[in-house]
Amino acid sequence: MFVLTGPGSPSVLSNVVVSIEQHVEWVVDYIDHMRRVGTQFAEASHAAQEQWVDHVTSIAADSLYMQADSWYLGANVPGKPRIFMPYIGGVGNYRNLCTQIAADNYRGFTTTPELA
């Protein structure tokens, strides 16, 4: 299962239809890659997840989003850690990063071979 336009993507701050198209195209390409190399299962490594959250957080840190008492940050839930989950680095940058990950043999993903 792949989550499209989820946390860490720019989708909610962009034209979501364009983001969905980019996400679907990337997932289809990844599934095709998995089939070609004989992989049935894949997931993002814990380290890659942490690196992405750190990247998203560092970009948001200098924005006004972090200064607002908004539900975007979880401010509507007492005691909830304040974190901004959308990627505000831009759709073009996000697309380029996804392309780089694919070109680098899907760096950050761990895979399991097909079951016999």
Side-chain angles (χ1 to χ4, degrees):
M1 179 175 90
F2 291 89
V3 177
L4 304 177
T5 67
S9 83
S11 57
V12 298
L13 303 174
S14 69
N15 180 330
V16 74
V17 174
V18 173
S19 288
I20 289 169
E21 288 174 345
Q22 184 266 326
H23 292 178
V24 168
E25 290 167 3
W26 192 92
V27 168
V28 167
D29 289 345
Y30 187 43
I31 291 170
D32 285 344
H33 167 79
M34 290 171 60
R35 287 183 179 147
R36 282 193 308 276
V37 300
T39 299
Q40 187 171 2
F41 303 100
E43 64 180 328
S45 70
H46 185 71
Q49 292 176 51
E50 286 182 346
Q51 289 171 353
W52 185 248
V53 169
D54 289 347
H55 177 66
V56 169
T57 301
S58 71
I59 291 173
D62 294 330
S63 74
L64 293 176
Y65 285 110
M66 297 305 294
Q67 297 178 27
D69 284 330
S70 167
W71 62 268
Y72 265 118
L73 293 172
N76 60 323
V77 180
K80 185 175 181 179
R82 294 173 67 91
I83 184 169
F84 189 75
M85 296 195 311
Y87 179 69
I88 63 171
V91 174
N93 289 334
Y94 183 82
R95 180 182 293 266
N96 289 338
L97 290 166
C98 289
T99 299
Q100 289 171 9
I101 289 167
D104 197 13
N105 202 30
Y106 296 92
R107 170 180 33 90
F109 285 84
T110 57
T111 59
T112 304
E114 289 186 18
L115 302 174

